[in-house]
Every structure is written in structure tokens, then in C-alpha cells.
Amino acid sequence: MSVLPWGLLPDSAEVGPDGQLLIGGCDLEELAGHYGTPLFVYDEDQLRARCREAVAAFGDGVAYATKAFLCRAMARLVHEEGMHLDVASGGELHVALDAGVPAERLVLHGNNKSELELIRARDAGVGRIVVDSFDELHRLEQLHAVDGIVPKVLLRITPGVEAHTHEFVMTGQDDSKFGFGLKVGDAQRAVDRATASPAVELVGIHAHIGSQVFVAGFFEQAVEALAPFVNATGLPELSIGGGIGVAYVEGESAPSITEWGAVVRAACDAAGITARVSAEPGRSIAAAAAVTLYRVGTVK
């Protein structure tokens, strides 16, 4: 039987006096006995440390991608550590608001937002809506005609960068179902329409090239592809999205959030981007801080 590499466990993992595994000083066997299994166990100190690292790397505006892990306690923790929250459904929006996170600290994502989700987000006063399609712009214009609410929005742009990850989690290539294509001209048409529309206040550009990206250089490529367009718009905000990888198995390695941020910022500086640069780490905040406990029931 192979031995689990120690580096894949949470930072606080240690072996107790009786040979049991401890996380954050807690005996995992005792936790399983008290709460039952399966059971998620998170290292709170590690979660907070990664949040602080993200804020240090990207500054105010960096958002935790709640799809990685969300409950009310997690929403409060991330907010306490100075991060915004990226929510991608009405359910995630509800949890974040119910946890007491101010609406202006929320970013609403999703490439198929329902009219009800847009209504709830606009009524709550979310800080940003990331618009993914011309259909969504049309829905926002229809809603504005009824209530006059004007949300601040980012346009999700597809930069045409193929990050080396699994094909099912690649999102930055030209044929992606997400966002407005840069090379085919949809990105410029979206900027023109949003700028002219009374229904939205266009404040920035958003991009996302995929998930489980282990090479920070792909984000540098995305910045280089986006830079002429971003600079031409003169918009004050640019989000490079998330997707930096996390090691799950032996042999995998990934850049730290600090290293990722340094690559992105250097690429933006080299490209002359003056917009405020932010990002949306999720997996890199939560994944390595957790273990899941299972009790063996049957062996075959």
C-alpha cells in the first residue's frame, strides 16, 4: 500500500500520541465518531491564511469563488478576511446574503442566469454582475425598463487561450460556450452595446481560461491576448478569473497564490494595463485545507 504524501494533507496535519491523524489539533477519529461519516473537515487557520494570501497578491476586489466550497460559516470567514465572494446561482447568492455578507461585496456569475436570479441580484444590490451573453444583456435591458435599476457589470471575454488542463474544464478557447469571443469581434460588439445601454454601467472586463491550470504562464498568455482590447476600452477593472491548480495526487504540483499573482501582475505591467487587476481563486483557497472522512463498511 502506498503512503499518502504528507504535503497533500492540510497544513496543520500531525500524528497524535496514539498514531491517530490530527487536523487543527482535532482527533479525526473522534470527529467521525461524534458526527458520523462521510464528514468534511476543514482547517480554519489554513483557509484564513489562503484568503490573506489572495488579498496580498491581488488587493481589494479579489473574490473567493464560492463554487469551491460554500456554507454560511465559510461565507463569513472569507468576508472577515477581506475577500469579495463570487456567486454563480440564486442558491449561492442566498447563502452569502444569509451569512451577513454585504451585497456590494458579491459578484454574480453564470452563463445561463435566470431572470429571477438577475432580479434577486439587482434588488439586493450586488457589487458586480459578470455578463456572459447578448441574451443576458437583453434580459437586463428588459428588467431596467420595468424598475430602472442599473447594476455595475463586467463583460466576460473569451481570449482564445487554450490552457493545458482537462478538455472539460477549458473555458478560454475560441469555441468556448462562455463569454464574448475576442477574435470573432463579439467582445467589441458587447462593449459597444453595453456602453450605449442605459440598463447597465460597464466598469470592466472579465476572463477565465479554465480550471486546474498548473502553469501560471497560461495566465500570462491570457493577459497578453487581452491587453490591447482592455487598454483600448479604457475601463477601470480587469478580472483574470480563477483556475490555478491544486495538487490532489502524488506527483502534482501547482504555483502558490502568491506566485500566480506575481505572474499576472508582471504580465499586466508589461502590457501597460492600468486597470485595477483582480482574480477569483476558489479551489486554491479551499481544497488543500480539507479532508473527507469515510468509514469502511465492506471490503471485497
Side-chain angles (χ1 to χ4, degrees):
M1 183 175 67
S2 62
V3 177
L4 178 71
W6 196 257
L8 295 180
L9 291 171
D11 292 348
S12 65
E14 59 180 328
V15 178
D18 297 322
Q20 76 276 41
L21 181 61
L22 307 178
I23 301 292
C26 298
D27 185 320
L28 297 190
E29 188 172 354
E30 290 181 2
L31 292 178
H34 182 76
Y35 293 104
T37 60
L39 178 68
F40 295 120
V41 179
Y42 280 84
D43 181 343
E44 179 179 350
D45 288 344
Q46 184 169 339
L47 291 172
R48 291 186 181 277
R50 295 293 83 74
C51 288
R52 293 168 191 160
E53 184 180 1
V55 173
F58 289 99
D60 185 44
V62 64
Y64 169 64
T66 62
K67 63 177 71 67
F69 169 60
L70 180 64
C71 63
R72 284 177 294 182
M74 184 63 178
R76 285 191 291 268
L77 182 154
V78 171
H79 173 58
E80 289 168 1
E81 296 301 337
M83 295 189 74
H84 292 230
L85 277 74
D86 148 13
V87 297
S89 69
E92 291 178 355
L93 174 64
H94 171 81
V95 171
L97 292 174
D98 195 55
V101 179
E104 62 268 20
R105 304 286 289 183
L106 302 179
V107 181
L108 179 66
H109 270 277
N111 73 324
N112 188 29
K113 304 178 190 71
S114 70
E115 183 175 301
L116 182 58
E117 287 170 331
L118 290 172
I119 290 172
R120 286 176 175 171
R122 293 161 75 259
D123 286 346
V126 298
R128 301 288 185 273
I129 295 175
V130 179
V131 176
D132 198 273
S133 67
F134 290 109
D135 284 348
E136 188 175 337
L137 275 174
H138 179 65
R139 284 194 287 274
L140 288 168
E141 288 168 345
Q142 288 182 313
L143 292 173
H144 175 265
V146 175
D147 58 26
I149 297 175
V150 182
K152 293 181 179 179
V153 305
L154 307 178
L155 296 178
R156 180 165 177 172
I157 305 303
T158 308
V161 172
E162 295 190 13
H164 287 183
T165 184
H166 193 282
E167 62 178 326
F168 290 169
V169 290
M170 291 170 56
T171 61
Q173 70 277 16
D174 288 328
D175 63 352
S176 172
K177 68 179 181 179
F178 298 98
F180 301 95
L182 182 62
K183 295 179 182 178
V184 297
D186 283 349
Q188 186 59 56
R189 285 188 285 273
V191 167
D192 293 342
R193 178 167 172 179
T195 301
S197 176
V200 297
E201 180 184 349
L202 178 59
V203 298
I205 298 300
H206 179 280
H208 183 81
I209 60 173
S211 297
Q212 277 296 80
V213 179
F214 288 106
V215 180
F218 287 116
F219 292 92
E220 184 177 17
Q221 291 180 25
V223 169
E224 291 172 351
L226 287 166
F229 179 77
V230 171
N231 290 336
T233 67
L235 294 169
E237 298 180 19
L238 168 64
S239 174
I240 199 63
I244 199 70
V246 169
Y248 285 115
V249 297
E250 187 175 7
E252 288 184 337
S253 63
S256 67
I257 295 174
T258 299
E259 292 167 338
W260 174 42
V263 168
V264 170
R265 291 203 170 276
C268 288
D269 290 343
I273 291 176
T274 58
R276 185 191 76 179
V277 179
S278 63
E280 293 166 348
R283 190 192 306 257
S284 56
I285 297 287
V291 294
T292 309
L293 309 184
Y294 301 95
R295 190 174 302 281
V296 176
T298 300
V299 177
K300 288 189 177 182

